[in-house]
Amino acid sequence: MLEALQYEFMRNALAAGLLASVICGVIGSLVVVNRIVFLSGGIAHAAYGGIGLAFFFGWPYLVGTLGFSLAAAMLMALVTLRARHRADTIIGVLWAVGMAIGVILLDLTPGYNVDLMSYLFGSILTVPTADLWQMAIVAGVDLTIVVGRYQDFLAMSYDEEFARIRGVPVRPLYLLMIAMIAVSVVVIIRVVGLILVIALLTIPPFIAEKYARSLLQMIGFAGLLSGGFTVVGLYLSYRFNLTCGATIILVAAAFFFACLAWEWLKTKRERPLPAETG
Amino acid sequence: MTGDPSGTCSADFSGTPPSAAAPPGDAVIVVQGVSFAYNGQPVLENVDLTVTAGDFMAMIGPNGGGKTTLLKLMLGLLAPGSGTIRIFGQAPERVSHRIGYVPQDVHINTDFPISALDVVLMGRLKPGRGWSRPARGDRVAAHESLNRLGMGAFCDRRIGALSGGQRQRVFIARALVCQPDILFLDEPTASIDPQGQTDFYRLLRELNQRITIVLVSHDLLTVSSYVKSVACVNRGVHHHTEAEVTGEMMDMYRCPVEIIAHGLPHRVFKEH
């Protein structure tokens, strides 16, 4: 690993991975406890429309994806707030429409864009230093907002109705949270790609949730786990010449299944099968 | 009365009535001509209801009759389509710090990483406080509220590791931690076993010495021996200021049939 770090692109990749881990810890934990994994998936895939938009009009990547994801995210959030029971359908539609717009716009764009694959699978090895700054800013803003209004986010995530009765401005806070998810998803797509972003956003918080004693601890654990997965995945992909994003996700998945197996063994030992006890 | 929506909790939990409590007999909840519809489906129509201080009112009625909707209107969670709701003479959301609420479903989010104590502390939440650890006074009040409900030993337990009845007590502790003047409960005994229910209603009766209580329930029989008045909710509202279940309630409001099948109750019903 250390020899790998003499290359600038590896140092940048490591920095990008660790910054993405901070974002995953904060945003992923909110996504998991608020049970909006599907909504986040919708935002991530609708972002593909933004990629198409950026290519077609020759805009910078970030302008297209950020704008498009934010718009799609706000639409999904408003539908969720207004008609919760229909929300999954609307999100599913926006999910597909965003992707379709992206595909069509890329069809209409002259020339062949090799770069496209990097949006699907991530391009952590080619992250320029300027993008690292963007990620650092997003990570900083996410952390500041969530920690700064921790009690409100906690109350809203645990019991929205009670939070409203206690005077928490749930609606603006919810929209703010969805906007943060949209921005963060776009940034993490850089690291593991559109297809894998949800896995990185949900696996570490899901493991952390089992052992944390509070939402804040969960955020911390999830960030650490995510950082660990990224470093190990990055090393394995360097060592065996594998695609970075997919390797990171498989490391996370392996740990995830190991945790499930451990939990299962533990409950089995505590409670022997009825057949054995007679 | 300051009318300060941010809440003015005092740290002690001695059970002494707060200075702003209304004297017994005063109207604390006034619902006038309230109608409400979900997606064009009328749920409540032209409802009038007055609850006086010190009352212990049960809201009964068939499923879909609007009991929970009426409760949420009084809590300010829903806005009425027409009519007005006043609690202590103000809009419900302005007096939320004087209202305690125990929700129907205590099984929400059982995987959530939160301790019983932190759930109770939510009852002292002041919006915008941000990161800061809850003040010492809040923590003391939360511990005392848990102790009072016999849950002090469980304060560090994760909420998901508690039984339904224990979780119910935590939620009641959360509702009481800010010394509310009105306590709203939505089907509170759904997750408690029969012995627990008796204890629970005894506790409510004790609390009722200081607090006005409004309770949504299916279990009319149990309720009728503890409450002071009954409101039958089925699109309209009939408020009976005596805790007797009458035949008229059965006919007009098609109250839950299961109560008739329970055999001889301890309270005499009129013919129906």
Side-chain angles (χ1 to χ4, degrees):
Chain A
M1 191 75 196
L2 283 177
E3 75 191 67
L5 285 180
Q6 53 187 296
Y7 304 108
E8 197 197 349
F9 71 89
M10 274 312 271
R11 284 198 299 273
N12 279 4
L14 188 67
L18 293 177
L19 285 170
S21 299
V22 174
I23 298 170
C24 276
V26 179
I27 298 302
S29 295
L30 286 179
V31 166
V32 168
V33 296
N34 279 284
R35 298 183 223 183
I36 45 177
V37 175
F38 189 66
L39 195 153
S40 313
I43 295 173
H45 286 77
Y48 198 72
I51 293 170
L53 223 59
F55 270 85
F56 187 74
F57 291 107
W59 297 340
Y61 159 81
L62 210 62
V63 174
T65 44
L66 260 189
F68 203 88
S69 314
L70 270 176
M74 283 304 109
L75 213 57
M76 292 177 192
L78 287 174
V79 171
T80 309
L81 280 173
R82 204 146 292 176
R84 188 148 296 199
H85 52 293
R86 299 298 321 145
D88 60 339
T89 313
I90 308 287
I91 290 167
V93 170
L94 285 172
W95 176 315
V97 166
M99 290 214 79
I101 290 175
V103 172
I104 298 295
L105 283 176
L106 286 165
D107 280 348
L108 296 176
T109 308
Y112 179 68
N113 287 295
V114 194
D115 263 359
L116 205 58
M117 283 298 275
S118 70
Y119 294 114
L120 292 178
F121 293 104
S123 53
I124 190 172
L125 294 180
T126 59
V127 173
T129 313
D131 282 21
L132 287 181
W133 283 109
Q134 287 165 4
M135 297 181 81
I137 291 168
V138 171
V141 169
D142 280 352
L143 258 180
T144 311
I145 292 176
V146 172
V147 169
R149 301 213 62 159
Y150 176 71
Q151 302 288 351
D152 293 355
F153 273 107
L154 174 68
M156 176 182 76
S157 306
Y158 182 66
D159 189 343
E160 183 204 315
E161 270 189 353
F162 194 84
R164 281 172 60 190
I165 293 172
R166 294 303 310 168
V168 175
V170 165
R171 189 172 283 257
L173 207 63
Y174 189 80
L175 291 177
L176 175 67
M177 178 175 76
I178 302 294
M180 282 162 62
I181 293 172
V183 174
S184 305
V185 157
V186 166
V187 168
I188 303 172
I189 282 177
R190 236 5 197 152
V191 179
V192 290
L194 179 58
I195 297 174
L196 302 174
V197 62
I198 292 307
L200 195 62
L201 214 51
T202 52
I203 293 176
F206 187 82
I207 300 169
E209 189 184 42
K210 287 189 192 307
Y211 305 104
R213 293 161 57 83
S214 67
L215 180 60
L216 196 75
Q217 254 186 27
M218 179 177 170
I219 289 173
F221 284 175
L224 286 175
L225 280 173
S226 177
F229 299 152
T230 312
V231 171
V232 174
L234 210 54
Y235 172 72
L236 290 178
S237 82
Y238 171 79
R239 184 80 174 65
F240 299 105
N241 196 22
L242 301 166
T243 305
C244 271
T247 314
I248 293 171
I249 298 302
L250 278 186
V251 169
F255 195 85
F256 172 71
F257 286 117
C259 271
L260 285 188
W262 171 250
E263 290 284 313
W264 182 73
L265 278 175
K266 222 168 61 176
T267 47
K268 213 181 148 193
R269 203 177 306 161
E270 280 164 13
R271 254 180 303 167
L273 289 172
E276 291 167 19
T277 55
Chain B
M1 194 190 309
T2 57
D4 171 17
S6 67
T8 45
C9 289
S10 58
D12 74 306
F13 196 83
S14 53
T16 51
S19 53
D26 273 19
V28 286
I29 303 174
V30 180
V31 177
Q32 271 178 328
V34 163
S35 299
F36 185 84
Y38 277 116
N39 304 322
Q41 276 293 39
V43 180
L44 293 170
E45 277 175 346
N46 203 20
V47 168
D48 293 311
L49 177 68
T50 302
V51 181
T52 52
D55 200 353
F56 188 162
M57 185 183 82
M59 293 204 284
I60 59 167
N63 282 328
K67 305 182 294 281
T68 298
T69 302
L70 183 55
L71 192 76
K72 286 187 175 172
L73 285 163
M74 293 194 282
L75 284 165
L77 288 172
L78 295 171
S82 62
T84 56
I85 296 174
R86 287 286 172 270
I87 299 198
F88 302 117
Q90 297 193 60
E93 55 273 18
R94 291 195 58 83
V95 289
S96 56
H97 58 286
R98 295 179 67 185
I99 293 173
Y101 172 52
V102 181
Q104 178 175 10
D105 187 7
V106 295
H107 301 298
I108 47 159
N109 267 336
T110 45
D111 290 330
F112 202 101
I114 189 167
S115 66
L117 184 70
D118 283 345
V119 171
V120 176
L121 277 169
M122 218 172 267
R124 312 250 325 177
L125 182 70
K126 296 169 192 71
R129 185 163 55 185
W131 156 235
S132 62
R133 266 168 73 87
R136 225 184 84 81
D138 289 341
R139 299 181 72 83
V140 169
H143 274 294
E144 279 173 7
S145 193
L146 276 169
N147 282 338
R148 180 161 188 198
L149 284 144
M151 289 297 295
F154 299 92
C155 64
D156 287 329
R157 212 53 99 69
R158 251 175 88 137
I159 194 78
L162 301 175
S163 72
Q166 290 172 329
R167 215 174 292 150
Q168 184 77 50
R169 286 172 172 268
V170 173
F171 277 77
I172 298 168
R174 177 179 75 168
L176 293 176
V177 73
C178 202
Q179 300 199 343
D181 296 318
I182 304 179
L183 184 60
F184 290 100
L185 304 101
D186 195 355
E187 307 232 9
T189 51
S191 49
I192 310 181
D193 57 73
Q195 175 54 39
Q197 294 193 10
T198 312
D199 294 346
F200 173 72
Y201 282 114
R202 286 220 182 96
L203 171 74
L204 286 189
R205 190 151 60 181
E206 187 197 319
L207 289 171
N208 184 230
Q209 290 170 3
R210 189 182 81 74
I211 302 172
T212 310
I213 296 179
V214 174
L215 170 96
V216 170
S217 182
H218 268 313
D219 188 8
L220 190 44
L221 270 193
T222 322
V223 160
S224 62
S225 52
Y226 292 96
V227 299
K228 294 177 181 163
S229 73
V230 175
C232 249
V233 185
N234 189 11
R235 270 178 91 169
V237 170
H238 243 225
H239 191 194
H240 307 261
T241 44
E242 279 168 51
E244 186 188 38
V245 184
T246 63
E248 176 198 29
M249 286 186 196
M250 304 291 172
D251 297 339
M252 286 182 62
Y253 293 97
R254 290 189 290 110
C255 286
V257 191
E258 73 232 45
I259 59 161
I260 301 168
H262 269 311
L264 264 185
H266 45 272
R267 187 170 276 271
V268 179
F269 287 158
K270 285 188 189 139
E271 266 182 52
H272 58 268

